[in-house]
Amino acid sequence: MDKKLLDRLIGQVEKPVRYMGNEYNMVIKDPNRVDIRFAFAFPDVYEVGMSHMGMKILYHMINDREDAYCERVFAPWPDMEQKMRENNIPMFALETKDPIKDFDIIGFTLQYELSYTNVLNILDLAQIPLTWQERSNDHPLIIAGGPCAYNVEPMADFFDLVVMGEGEEVTHELLDLYLDCKKQGLDRLEFLYRAANIEGVYVPRFYTVEYKEDGTISKIEPINERVPKTIRKRIIKDLDKVYYPETMVVPYMNIVHDRVMLEVFRGCTRGCRFCQAGMIYRPVRERTPKKLLELAERLIKNTGYEEISLSSLSTGDYSQLEKLVRELMARFKDKKVGLSLPSLRLDSFEKELADQVQEVRKTGLTFAPEAGSQRLRDVINKGITEDDLMGSVEDAFKSGWTTVKLYFMMGLPEETEEDLKGIGELARKIKDCYFNTVKEKGKKALRINISTSSFVPKPFTPFQWVAQNSMEELDRKQNFLQKELRIKNVQYSWSDSRASFLEAVFARGDRRLGKVIKKAWQKGCTFDGWAELFKFDTWMEAFEEEGIDPHFYANRQREINEVFPWDHIDVGVTKKYLWREYQKALKMELTEDCRLNCTGCGVSLLGEGICP
Ligand code: SF4
């Protein structure tokens, strides 16, 4: 590849830093002295991908092996893509600028459904055939992981194998097996058969899917006895013992989360019924404060960052949060290192704690009541009350905060107009609370930002059976809320119902959708998660041309016994438990936090002593 030409082209596009590499802490190795070249591909732009925790972990973990070199790949923005295509520059890795078609393995992380066309675009730019059927032993192995991998069926044609669950251990096992097969001269098929027997590895080509006349699935079966009937997710038992990087690449440009990220725990025990992460990442496993302090010390030293973010699904639930925050503050006080807690839950918000951390103060308080009425919050098992919210908000106003952000979902199962009105009522109560609490100064500064996203039913949740509201229904609800929220000091923003619709199609999609994704990409769809590049009408043409009805996937209520495209994947939480939770939702019955009492979701069967 003409690297001088590439350098020149990089200089001609918007945000060249996206393609330059050479950041502080970037790993440099001699590619000729390793046995495996691995490209970690994030199918979105650099600044989004560089904030991703999984990439930070796996990049440094693979590079700690002497026999492997892991480099990074991000989706080029259309201006760069055009230059690459015009000049026949193949997709390259950031570290060496070498074409990734010469690598051994390309590993994609699938964080959201609307990045699927970018996967195809990266493969095409790399000059690699899109489907496994078209690829030979000489092409790189194309693999994937991440939350969407749990139902990867719409992308089944494009990947050789998929990793289910946490990647730290299984990645090493896969790389070892890959080397072993390479040394023995075994071909790809044999490697895949052996890989399919590693726990957490799914090879889509080894499973067949049969359909009924009504379009639903009749059965999913392995093609022979060399592969297991179900694929069980991988799970790390002890987070203190598992690899965590002691350094991180420090970008030259602003990225979404530009700070040291300390992952305090995995999993969540709350059991919100809409939340896929809360189900697939079970059980809760915490790092100890001792381990976290050690990691923080090394990461601050090695990166020069002046801010630490405590990350997890619900950081306020960390059992030793107060101790950890106090010790981190004490340790880094003199170094002027700040602390941020990005995912506070409403009921775990403690004023004293929040007073100590800087991010909350900078950006305003964020709460996620999710639904506007107690009735609907009980349906979704969001175990918080209006009193919790108002108490926290009042405390915040007393402490000087003037901006409050509130997140809601619309289109939730069992939602009525009353629930939507409840959002407006809540906004008015918060406003009244502010003016009752703050008597004199600062009155003008109050901002209440309300945003709604459209509910997307996800696999492995109690709502995996429900129909998504139609786009027309979602638009009607948005219009209704726009009127309800015409209140001084209140700003309302909402998500595009068409993007949520597509997300719902692919989240619960099956293998038949692969040809639609390919068609949409051929017709020019990429970066579907970016409003300015989203081409909804083109997507609808692709469905039409492939003879597939997207509403079958998004807007159809499923029967109790329907075979789902992901039924051969075992995430620990059982289908029986999810159905039980769905029935409880319809009766507005709550399920308590399983830290207090095990509610029998099935995850404990993944291993002895796995649940706290
Ligand atoms: S098995 Fe019980 S304790 Fe473990 S995650 Fe499930 S409900 Fe919670």
Side-chain angles (χ1 to χ4, degrees), residues 68-86:
Y69 188 13
C70 178
E71 303 184 46
R72 295 160 297 151
V73 176
F74 300 95
W77 194 248
D79 62 342
M80 184 63 183
E81 178 188 342
Q82 195 189 343
K83 297 263 180 225
M84 288 166 69
R85 290 194 188 276
E86 281 168 4

Side-chain angles (χ1 to χ4, degrees), residues 268-269 282-284 573 577 594-595 597-605 611-612:
C268 177
T269 49
R282 282 179 181 217
V284 160
V573 178
Y577 175 81
C594 74
R595 261 184 225 237
N597 265 318
C598 172
T599 52
C601 77
V603 160
S604 58
L605 302 174
C611 288

Side-chain angles (χ1 to χ4, degrees), residues 385-440:
T385 64
E386 194 172 301
D387 287 347
D388 293 333
L389 173 68
M390 294 313 297
S392 300
V393 166
E394 191 182 329
D395 278 349
F397 289 152
K398 277 185 190 152
S399 298
W401 272 287
T402 53
T403 300
V404 182
K405 288 186 199 164
L406 295 159
Y407 288 112
F408 294 92
M409 271 185 287
M410 65 160 56
L412 283 163
E414 304 297 295
E415 184 179 73
T416 66
E417 205 168 279
E418 287 307 305
D419 303 309
L420 297 175
K421 275 189 190 155
I423 297 177
E425 280 159 22
L426 215 46
R428 278 186 210 96
K429 281 184 192 158
I430 291 173
K431 186 176 168 178
D432 290 346
C433 169
Y434 178 78
F435 286 106
N436 291 333
T437 312
V438 183
K439 292 290 177 211
E440 290 307 324

Side-chain angles (χ1 to χ4, degrees), residues 248-274:
M248 286 177 186
V249 177
V250 183
Y252 290 125
M253 73 188 292
N254 281 342
I255 59 169
V256 181
H257 300 296
D258 203 6
R259 54 188 84 109
V260 160
M261 281 162 84
L262 262 192
E263 187 196 33
V264 291
F265 69 94
R266 290 184 187 168
C268 177
T269 49
R270 298 278 183 164
C272 297
R273 292 177 178 132
F274 57 85

Side-chain angles (χ1 to χ4, degrees), residues 161-226:
L161 70 81
V162 179
V163 171
M164 308 280 166
E166 292 159 346
E168 288 95 338
E169 291 170 352
V170 65
T171 302
H172 281 308
E173 289 164 31
L174 268 175
L175 296 183
D176 291 343
L177 177 70
Y178 181 85
L179 275 183
D180 204 36
C181 290
K182 207 170 161 182
K183 276 183 202 141
Q184 290 186 55
L186 301 175
D187 67 5
R188 173 147 310 164
L189 193 63
E190 183 55 31
F191 162 77
L192 288 173
Y193 268 118
R194 294 184 184 196
N197 284 285
I198 296 177
E199 191 170 86
V201 174
Y202 172 48
V203 181
R205 75 180 71 173
F206 293 152
Y207 296 80
T208 55
V209 185
E210 287 176 26
Y211 302 93
K212 295 183 194 165
E213 261 182 28
D214 64 4
T216 57
I217 293 173
S218 59
K219 58 179 174 188
I220 305 167
E221 274 185 334
I223 57 168
N224 60 38
E225 287 177 359
R226 286 195 70 186

